[in-house]
Amino acid sequence: LSLALSGTVLSRCPSCARNFANIYCNNICSPDQSLFTNVTRVVNRTTALGTRQLAVVEYQSFYRKDFAD
């Protein structure tokens, strides 16, 4: 997902764009992901170098109400 694309879609509301980016970055980069993320679907994939690995394609996130607000 490109944050530039979401920024374009949400450009009429800078606060919305910042909030979306904050949640996206929290989902992807947080060292505490295991505390609020439940992986619900993975697939096997092959990298460009031929290595097999699992890829997460679906997950659920759980946030406290004050964070969501």
Side-chain angles (χ1 to χ4, degrees), residues 3-58:
L3 287 180
L5 177 60
S6 67
T8 301
V9 172
L10 299 171
S11 63
R12 289 185 166 182
C13 179
S15 294
C16 293
R18 280 191 304 274
N19 288 340
F20 180 84
N22 181 38
I23 289 174
Y24 177 78
C25 292
N26 194 55
N27 282 340
I28 302 305
C29 301
S30 174
D32 299 320
Q33 284 177 335
S34 65
L35 300 176
F36 60 86
T37 302
N38 178 38
V39 174
T40 56
R41 194 172 107 192
V42 296
V43 296
N44 287 308
R45 68 178 293 267
T46 303
T47 67
L49 299 175
T51 306
R52 304 231 348 123
Q53 63 182 204
L54 292 176
V56 174
V57 294
E58 185 175 285

